[in-house]
Amino acid sequence: MSNNNVQIFDTTLRDGEQVPGCKLNTEQKLIIAEQLDNLGVDIIEAGFPVSSPGDFKSVEAISKIVKNATVCGLTRSVENDIKVAAEALKYAKTPRIHTGIGTSDSHIKFKFKSTQEAIIERAVKAVSYAKSFVEDVEFYAEDAGRTDNEYLARVCEAVIKAGATVLNIPDTTGYCLPHEYGAKIKYLKENVKGIDNAILSCHCHNDLGLATANSIEGVINGARQIECTINGIGERAGNTALEEVVMILKQHPYLDLDTRIQTEMLYGISQLVSDSMGIYTQPNKAIVGANAFAHSSGIHQDGVIKNRETYEIIDPKDVGVTESAIVLTARSGRAALAYRAKNIGYELTKLQLDEIYVNFLNFADKKKEVNDSDIHQIIESSKVYNEIITSA
Ligand code: KIV
Ligand code: ZN
């Protein structure tokens, strides 16, 4: 693996599936896992096997069908969790156990009623035990975003010694600012002995809308794995959106960081996840929202019709959207009306357009969006209709 490759760790089926009311059955999970594998994700976190017999069954079934990606199962730093995860992953071509424990003062004091040293001991024990089942063991320091860097470095060093191959640094509560999260990764890169033998991973939550920005800061500062979900779904305000980080790295090649994702599949898989989970995607969602490539203001429409790049930084085809949309509303100009009219067979002269545009505005003031059949109706009822069809 080259040093500028960022591994994409998809957790749609684990952290993503924690969205209340969005539970998937095994069949739905298998369809999504297969598509994630085709999409080119490097790791699929298939579930939390000890959490329920259904989740165990799903992780096991996914392990059997995934051809390329590593299949991963989540555990706590609890022996039985790890044993059960290893069992569920036994058919995977490349299995990974993802184990960990809370490391922030608040987790240590309130969740575990423990001490920093005892937490390191539990972490090391969990990693060593996981290592007795699989070669690839990822360790998460839960709430790393609010964990003191010096202590976090000690935890990381200890688990690397115990055999951890990947160190997940979750901003579990979505608290960090991008420069803080980036500095945390840089600190670990510079202060943890043995860090070059492990991959640092970003796992950011979106409570302040910063999950994507934090993950990008993480990889700029030396992390080489991003944990993310399709459409950014997940616990509370969600996780880092896979489609966003992938397209940011693609659109900014000077960062010299890339992924193996087949970006033309992004829109399709976004629809699949949204339909399977019954979670509607907001229209203005970056990359995959219904309006991500739709233009409705007259000024923008005029620009896009002349040259798409005036108002679009991504070619919609690159993410699987057929083409940009010119949406007709009362804010649209003549250029957009002429463009849409031409698409349905009317080539209008300047004078004809002036005449029809007045009728169009009156119509659009009453209706939110003007569709093709409305355009036909507006043209057919105009004074210049006969002139248009006889010159056609
Ligand atoms: O957000 C988090 O800390 C997690 C861990 C369990 C990896 O999801
Ligand atoms: Zn999480």
Side-chain angles (χ1 to χ4, degrees):
M1 193 207 349
S2 78
N3 196 32
N4 58 3
N5 180 270
V6 174
Q7 302 253 300
I8 296 297
F9 175 115
D10 182 276
T11 183
T12 304
L13 299 176
R14 199 279 296 170
D15 222 338
E17 210 229 7
Q18 289 174 208
V19 176
C22 293
K23 229 189 121 6
L24 297 169
N25 60 39
T26 300
E27 222 157 275
Q28 290 170 314
K29 286 189 184 181
L30 282 170
I31 293 170
I32 293 174
E34 198 170 22
Q35 289 309 306
L36 289 170
D37 202 22
N38 295 338
L39 179 70
V41 307
D42 299 282
I43 301 103
I44 296 173
E45 187 163 53
F48 182 7
V50 85
S51 65
S52 74
D55 223 36
F56 179 94
K57 196 172 131 214
S58 298
V59 175
E60 188 180 54
I62 290 168
S63 297
K64 287 181 183 166
I65 61 126
V66 166
K67 295 192 177 79
N68 307 304
T70 292
V71 181
C72 176
L74 184 80
T75 81
R76 295 165 296 179
S77 281
V78 170
E79 275 202 3
N80 189 49
D81 284 27
I82 296 168
K83 194 161 76 155
V84 170
E87 178 68 18
L89 292 166
K90 75 172 178 235
Y91 298 106
K93 282 197 180 120
T94 43
R96 174 182 295 180
I97 292 178
H98 188 190
T99 191
I101 195 161
T103 53
S104 64
D105 287 348
S106 127
H107 280 226
I108 294 175
K109 187 169 164 201
F110 300 117
K111 250 175 78 174
F112 302 111
K113 300 187 186 3
S114 185
T115 63
Q116 289 192 335
E117 295 317 311
I119 290 294
I120 293 184
E121 245 174 68
R122 274 186 71 174
V124 165
K125 227 171 128 195
V127 170
S128 309
Y129 189 57
K131 204 73 185 173
S132 70
F133 296 102
V134 295
E135 185 43 44
D136 192 4
V137 175
E138 172 167 343
F139 175 81
Y140 64 86
E142 196 182 9
D143 205 13
R146 294 187 300 169
T147 300
D148 165 65
N149 285 349
E150 190 269 328
Y151 174 63
L152 187 58
R154 284 205 287 129
V155 175
C156 290
E157 209 163 293
V159 296
I160 289 175
K161 258 200 217 142
T165 44
V166 181
L167 297 177
N168 179 7
I169 311 301
D171 183 20
T172 305
T173 57
Y175 176 73
C176 289
L177 291 173
H179 74 275
E180 289 168 341
Y181 189 76
K184 191 173 279 291
I185 297 292
K186 187 165 187 278
Y187 181 88
L188 297 174
K189 267 298 243 192
E190 290 171 355
N191 292 282
V192 173
K193 238 187 265 144
I195 195 71
D196 292 336
N197 302 323
I199 293 175
L200 279 165
S201 181
C202 310
H203 179 115
C204 299
H205 279 269
N206 206 31
D207 301 64
L208 292 171
L210 291 170
T212 294
N214 284 345
S215 299
I216 294 296
E217 272 302 304
V219 292
I220 286 173
N221 282 282
R224 284 296 175 270
Q225 178 176 287
I226 295 178
E227 309 198 1
C228 44
T229 60
I230 301 292
N231 301 335
I233 57 164
E235 189 89 26
R236 306 183 310 280
N239 289 62
T240 300
L242 181 150
E243 61 279 4
E244 293 175 12
V245 287
V246 165
M247 290 312 292
I248 289 168
L249 298 182
K250 186 175 165 105
Q251 298 308 112
H252 291 275
Y254 62 87
L255 290 175
D256 201 21
L257 295 168
D258 46 53
T259 70
R260 295 194 313 110
I261 298 299
Q262 302 294 318
T263 62
E264 321 74 52
M265 286 185 63
L266 287 173
Y267 184 67
I269 201 157
S270 155
Q271 300 278 90
L272 171 69
V273 168
S274 158
D275 291 348
S276 315
M277 289 193 163
I279 311 185
Y280 136 102
T281 307
Q282 72 196 67
N284 59 323
K285 168 78 189 61
I287 320 294
V288 292
N291 291 346
F293 298 97
H295 305 272
S296 79
S297 102
I299 296 171
H300 291 207
Q301 291 176 328
D302 182 49
V304 169
I305 291 166
K306 288 174 177 147
N307 185 320
R308 192 189 57 73
E309 288 181 17
T310 52
Y311 286 96
E312 277 183 1
I313 59 156
I314 298 170
D315 184 339
K317 292 189 186 64
D318 281 356
V319 298
V321 173
T322 330
E323 57 181 358
S324 321
I326 298 291
V327 181
L328 289 181
T329 69
R331 303 292 154 261
S332 300
R334 285 174 174 72
L337 178 59
Y339 172 85
R340 287 280 302 271
K342 190 174 172 192
N343 281 354
I344 56 168
Y346 300 106
E347 191 86 56
L348 305 176
T349 65
K350 185 174 174 316
L351 286 177
Q352 289 163 350
L353 181 60
D354 284 345
E355 168 70 29
I356 288 163
Y357 187 63
V358 176
N359 300 349
F360 161 77
L361 283 183
N362 286 331
F363 189 97
D365 265 338
K366 292 185 211 99
K367 197 176 174 219
K368 280 189 189 143
E369 195 181 322
V370 179
N371 60 32
D372 285 351
S373 84
D374 298 328
I375 303 172
H376 277 299
Q377 195 194 319
I378 293 165
I379 293 179
E380 280 164 21
S381 58
S382 76
K383 278 195 283 186
V384 288
Y385 179 60
N386 281 338
E387 197 185 298
I388 295 168
I389 47 165
T390 46
S391 66

PDB file of all heavy atoms in Angstrom, residues 90-110:
ATOM      1  N   LYS A  90     -15.169 -15.943  11.239  1.00  0.00           N
ATOM      2  CA  LYS A  90     -14.265 -17.047  10.852  1.00  0.00           C
ATOM      3  C   LYS A  90     -14.271 -17.368   9.357  1.00  0.00           C
ATOM      4  O   LYS A  90     -13.317 -17.929   8.846  1.00  0.00           O
ATOM      5  CB  LYS A  90     -14.495 -18.285  11.716  1.00  0.00           C
ATOM      6  CG  LYS A  90     -15.707 -19.065  11.404  1.00  0.00           C
ATOM      7  CD  LYS A  90     -15.691 -20.372  12.212  1.00  0.00           C
ATOM      8  CE  LYS A  90     -16.960 -21.126  11.920  1.00  0.00           C
ATOM      9  NZ  LYS A  90     -17.739 -21.479  13.070  1.00  0.00           N
ATOM     10  N   TYR A  91     -15.336 -16.973   8.627  1.00  0.00           N
ATOM     11  CA  TYR A  91     -15.349 -17.243   7.178  1.00  0.00           C
ATOM     12  C   TYR A  91     -14.747 -16.105   6.348  1.00  0.00           C
ATOM     13  O   TYR A  91     -14.645 -16.214   5.128  1.00  0.00           O
ATOM     14  CB  TYR A  91     -16.784 -17.504   6.695  1.00  0.00           C
ATOM     15  CG  TYR A  91     -17.405 -18.715   7.355  1.00  0.00           C
ATOM     16  CD1 TYR A  91     -18.373 -18.564   8.343  1.00  0.00           C
ATOM     17  CD2 TYR A  91     -17.008 -20.000   6.987  1.00  0.00           C
ATOM     18  CE1 TYR A  91     -18.936 -19.669   8.956  1.00  0.00           C
ATOM     19  CE2 TYR A  91     -17.572 -21.115   7.598  1.00  0.00           C
ATOM     20  CZ  TYR A  91     -18.531 -20.943   8.580  1.00  0.00           C
ATOM     21  OH  TYR A  91     -19.089 -22.033   9.192  1.00  0.00           O
ATOM     22  N   ALA A  92     -14.387 -15.010   7.001  1.00  0.00           N
ATOM     23  CA  ALA A  92     -13.881 -13.859   6.227  1.00  0.00           C
ATOM     24  C   ALA A  92     -12.510 -14.158   5.651  1.00  0.00           C
ATOM     25  O   ALA A  92     -11.671 -14.752   6.328  1.00  0.00           O
ATOM     26  CB  ALA A  92     -13.821 -12.619   7.119  1.00  0.00           C
ATOM     27  N   LYS A  93     -12.299 -13.701   4.391  1.00  0.00           N
ATOM     28  CA  LYS A  93     -10.980 -13.887   3.772  1.00  0.00           C
ATOM     29  C   LYS A  93      -9.946 -13.106   4.562  1.00  0.00           C
ATOM     30  O   LYS A  93      -8.851 -13.587   4.819  1.00  0.00           O
ATOM     31  CB  LYS A  93     -11.009 -13.368   2.328  1.00  0.00           C
ATOM     32  CG  LYS A  93     -11.678 -14.314   1.378  1.00  0.00           C
ATOM     33  CD  LYS A  93     -11.311 -13.949  -0.075  1.00  0.00           C
ATOM     34  CE  LYS A  93     -11.993 -14.891  -1.017  1.00  0.00           C
ATOM     35  NZ  LYS A  93     -12.897 -14.239  -1.956  1.00  0.00           N
ATOM     36  N   THR A  94     -10.279 -11.853   4.896  1.00  0.00           N
ATOM     37  CA  THR A  94      -9.373 -11.053   5.733  1.00  0.00           C
ATOM     38  C   THR A  94     -10.194 -10.448   6.884  1.00  0.00           C
ATOM     39  O   THR A  94     -10.849  -9.414   6.720  1.00  0.00           O
ATOM     40  CB  THR A  94      -8.679  -9.930   4.922  1.00  0.00           C
ATOM     41  OG1 THR A  94      -9.658  -9.332   4.086  1.00  0.00           O
ATOM     42  CG2 THR A  94      -7.537 -10.443   4.084  1.00  0.00           C
ATOM     43  N   PRO A  95     -10.149 -11.109   8.037  1.00  0.00           N
ATOM     44  CA  PRO A  95     -10.935 -10.629   9.179  1.00  0.00           C
ATOM     45  C   PRO A  95     -10.174  -9.586  10.011  1.00  0.00           C
ATOM     46  O   PRO A  95      -8.953  -9.601  10.058  1.00  0.00           O
ATOM     47  CB  PRO A  95     -11.132 -11.905  10.010  1.00  0.00           C
ATOM     48  CG  PRO A  95      -9.944 -12.761   9.672  1.00  0.00           C
ATOM     49  CD  PRO A  95      -9.466 -12.383   8.304  1.00  0.00           C
ATOM     50  N   ARG A  96     -10.922  -8.702  10.631  1.00  0.00           N
ATOM     51  CA  ARG A  96     -10.319  -7.752  11.577  1.00  0.00           C
ATOM     52  C   ARG A  96     -11.201  -7.650  12.815  1.00  0.00           C
ATOM     53  O   ARG A  96     -12.426  -7.529  12.697  1.00  0.00           O
ATOM     54  CB  ARG A  96     -10.187  -6.361  10.941  1.00  0.00           C
ATOM     55  CG  ARG A  96      -9.686  -5.298  11.945  1.00  0.00           C
ATOM     56  CD  ARG A  96      -9.595  -3.909  11.369  1.00  0.00           C
ATOM     57  NE  ARG A  96      -8.599  -3.792  10.317  1.00  0.00           N
ATOM     58  CZ  ARG A  96      -8.347  -2.648   9.662  1.00  0.00           C
ATOM     59  NH1 ARG A  96      -9.007  -1.547   9.969  1.00  0.00           N
ATOM     60  NH2 ARG A  96      -7.430  -2.625   8.716  1.00  0.00           N
ATOM     61  N   ILE A  97     -10.591  -7.684  13.976  1.00  0.00           N
ATOM     62  CA  ILE A  97     -11.345  -7.432  15.219  1.00  0.00           C
ATOM     63  C   ILE A  97     -11.059  -5.998  15.638  1.00  0.00           C
ATOM     64  O   ILE A  97      -9.915  -5.551  15.650  1.00  0.00           O
ATOM     65  CB  ILE A  97     -10.962  -8.442  16.322  1.00  0.00           C
ATOM     66  CG1 ILE A  97     -11.459  -9.838  15.937  1.00  0.00           C
ATOM     67  CG2 ILE A  97     -11.549  -8.016  17.667  1.00  0.00           C
ATOM     68  CD1 ILE A  97     -11.107 -10.948  16.932  1.00  0.00           C
ATOM     69  N   HIS A  98     -12.134  -5.282  15.966  1.00  0.00           N
ATOM     70  CA  HIS A  98     -12.055  -3.868  16.357  1.00  0.00           C
ATOM     71  C   HIS A  98     -12.437  -3.806  17.837  1.00  0.00           C
ATOM     72  O   HIS A  98     -13.609  -3.917  18.178  1.00  0.00           O
ATOM     73  CB  HIS A  98     -13.056  -3.088  15.491  1.00  0.00           C
ATOM     74  CG  HIS A  98     -12.974  -1.601  15.611  1.00  0.00           C
ATOM     75  ND1 HIS A  98     -13.925  -0.770  15.070  1.00  0.00           N
ATOM     76  CD2 HIS A  98     -12.057  -0.787  16.203  1.00  0.00           C
ATOM     77  CE1 HIS A  98     -13.595   0.492  15.308  1.00  0.00           C
ATOM     78  NE2 HIS A  98     -12.471   0.503  16.002  1.00  0.00           N
ATOM     79  N   THR A  99     -11.431  -3.693  18.679  1.00  0.00           N
ATOM     80  CA  THR A  99     -11.715  -3.679  20.109  1.00  0.00           C
ATOM     81  C   THR A  99     -11.243  -2.368  20.715  1.00  0.00           C
ATOM     82  O   THR A  99     -10.426  -1.664  20.114  1.00  0.00           O
ATOM     83  CB  THR A  99     -11.039  -4.875  20.816  1.00  0.00           C
ATOM     84  OG1 THR A  99     -11.552  -4.959  22.152  1.00  0.00           O
ATOM     85  CG2 THR A  99      -9.515  -4.748  20.865  1.00  0.00           C
ATOM     86  N   GLY A 100     -11.747  -2.027  21.895  1.00  0.00           N
ATOM     87  CA  GLY A 100     -11.298  -0.768  22.486  1.00  0.00           C
ATOM     88  C   GLY A 100     -12.007  -0.450  23.788  1.00  0.00           C
ATOM     89  O   GLY A 100     -12.817  -1.235  24.299  1.00  0.00           O
ATOM     90  N   ILE A 101     -11.703   0.742  24.286  1.00  0.00           N
ATOM     91  CA  ILE A 101     -12.227   1.156  25.586  1.00  0.00           C
ATOM     92  C   ILE A 101     -12.155   2.681  25.682  1.00  0.00           C
ATOM     93  O   ILE A 101     -11.341   3.303  24.986  1.00  0.00           O
ATOM     94  CB  ILE A 101     -11.403   0.473  26.713  1.00  0.00           C
ATOM     95  CG1 ILE A 101     -12.127   0.571  28.058  1.00  0.00           C
ATOM     96  CG2 ILE A 101      -9.975   1.033  26.809  1.00  0.00           C
ATOM     97  CD1 ILE A 101     -11.641  -0.437  29.095  1.00  0.00           C
ATOM     98  N   GLY A 102     -13.006   3.265  26.527  1.00  0.00           N
ATOM     99  CA  GLY A 102     -13.008   4.720  26.716  1.00  0.00           C
ATOM    100  C   GLY A 102     -11.736   5.189  27.418  1.00  0.00           C
ATOM    101  O   GLY A 102     -11.282   4.561  28.382  1.00  0.00           O
ATOM    102  N   THR A 103     -11.167   6.296  26.933  1.00  0.00           N
ATOM    103  CA  THR A 103      -9.894   6.768  27.516  1.00  0.00           C
ATOM    104  C   THR A 103      -9.976   8.182  28.087  1.00  0.00           C
ATOM    105  O   THR A 103      -9.016   8.658  28.689  1.00  0.00           O
ATOM    106  CB  THR A 103      -8.780   6.736  26.449  1.00  0.00           C
ATOM    107  OG1 THR A 103      -9.234   7.468  25.307  1.00  0.00           O
ATOM    108  CG2 THR A 103      -8.427   5.309  26.046  1.00  0.00           C
ATOM    109  N   SER A 104     -11.102   8.872  27.876  1.00  0.00           N
ATOM    110  CA  SER A 104     -11.181  10.248  28.409  1.00  0.00           C
ATOM    111  C   SER A 104     -11.421  10.179  29.915  1.00  0.00           C
ATOM    112  O   SER A 104     -11.894   9.161  30.439  1.00  0.00           O
ATOM    113  CB  SER A 104     -12.339  10.998  27.745  1.00  0.00           C
ATOM    114  OG  SER A 104     -13.554  10.380  28.090  1.00  0.00           O
ATOM    115  N   ASP A 105     -11.107  11.277  30.604  1.00  0.00           N
ATOM    116  CA  ASP A 105     -11.326  11.315  32.066  1.00  0.00           C
ATOM    117  C   ASP A 105     -12.771  10.965  32.380  1.00  0.00           C
ATOM    118  O   ASP A 105     -13.062  10.233  33.327  1.00  0.00           O
ATOM    119  CB  ASP A 105     -10.998  12.716  32.612  1.00  0.00           C
ATOM    120  CG  ASP A 105      -9.493  12.968  32.628  1.00  0.00           C
ATOM    121  OD1 ASP A 105      -8.737  11.989  32.445  1.00  0.00           O
ATOM    122  OD2 ASP A 105      -9.086  14.137  32.789  1.00  0.00           O
ATOM    123  N   SER A 106     -13.680  11.516  31.579  1.00  0.00           N
ATOM    124  CA  SER A 106     -15.094  11.302  31.887  1.00  0.00           C
ATOM    125  C   SER A 106     -15.471   9.822  31.731  1.00  0.00           C
ATOM    126  O   SER A 106     -16.192   9.266  32.570  1.00  0.00           O
ATOM    127  CB  SER A 106     -15.935  12.255  31.051  1.00  0.00           C
ATOM    128  OG  SER A 106     -16.913  11.613  30.339  1.00  0.00           O
ATOM    129  N   HIS A 107     -14.978   9.166  30.697  1.00  0.00           N
ATOM    130  CA  HIS A 107     -15.275   7.731  30.544  1.00  0.00           C
ATOM    131  C   HIS A 107     -14.628   6.918  31.663  1.00  0.00           C
ATOM    132  O   HIS A 107     -15.248   6.006  32.224  1.00  0.00           O
ATOM    133  CB  HIS A 107     -14.787   7.228  29.176  1.00  0.00           C
ATOM    134  CG  HIS A 107     -15.735   7.565  28.069  1.00  0.00           C
ATOM    135  ND1 HIS A 107     -16.116   6.671  27.109  1.00  0.00           N
ATOM    136  CD2 HIS A 107     -16.399   8.720  27.792  1.00  0.00           C
ATOM    137  CE1 HIS A 107     -16.969   7.255  26.266  1.00  0.00           C
ATOM    138  NE2 HIS A 107     -17.141   8.498  26.663  1.00  0.00           N
ATOM    139  N   ILE A 108     -13.363   7.254  31.984  1.00  0.00           N
ATOM    140  CA  ILE A 108     -12.652   6.452  32.993  1.00  0.00           C
ATOM    141  C   ILE A 108     -13.338   6.601  34.363  1.00  0.00           C
ATOM    142  O   ILE A 108     -13.586   5.627  35.066  1.00  0.00           O
ATOM    143  CB  ILE A 108     -11.167   6.870  33.076  1.00  0.00           C
ATOM    144  CG1 ILE A 108     -10.457   6.515  31.758  1.00  0.00           C
ATOM    145  CG2 ILE A 108     -10.469   6.186  34.250  1.00  0.00           C
ATOM    146  CD1 ILE A 108      -9.015   6.980  31.652  1.00  0.00           C
ATOM    147  N   LYS A 109     -13.714   7.854  34.664  1.00  0.00           N
ATOM    148  CA  LYS A 109     -14.287   8.109  35.992  1.00  0.00           C
ATOM    149  C   LYS A 109     -15.745   7.619  36.077  1.00  0.00           C
ATOM    150  O   LYS A 109     -16.107   6.891  37.008  1.00  0.00           O
ATOM    151  CB  LYS A 109     -14.216   9.616  36.249  1.00  0.00           C
ATOM    152  CG  LYS A 109     -14.611  10.044  37.626  1.00  0.00           C
ATOM    153  CD  LYS A 109     -14.252  11.500  37.868  1.00  0.00           C
ATOM    154  CE  LYS A 109     -14.994  12.014  39.085  1.00  0.00           C
ATOM    155  NZ  LYS A 109     -15.089  13.455  39.109  1.00  0.00           N
ATOM    156  N   PHE A 110     -16.578   8.014  35.112  1.00  0.00           N
ATOM    157  CA  PHE A 110     -18.013   7.729  35.259  1.00  0.00           C
ATOM    158  C   PHE A 110     -18.438   6.375  34.672  1.00  0.00           C
ATOM    159  O   PHE A 110     -19.292   5.702  35.240  1.00  0.00           O
ATOM    160  CB  PHE A 110     -18.843   8.852  34.629  1.00  0.00           C
ATOM    161  CG  PHE A 110     -18.589  10.187  35.255  1.00  0.00           C
ATOM    162  CD1 PHE A 110     -18.044  11.234  34.531  1.00  0.00           C
ATOM    163  CD2 PHE A 110     -18.884  10.401  36.603  1.00  0.00           C
ATOM    164  CE1 PHE A 110     -17.797  12.464  35.116  1.00  0.00           C
ATOM    165  CE2 PHE A 110     -18.637  11.625  37.205  1.00  0.00           C
ATOM    166  CZ  PHE A 110     -18.080  12.655  36.460  1.00  0.00           C
TER     167      PHE A 110
END
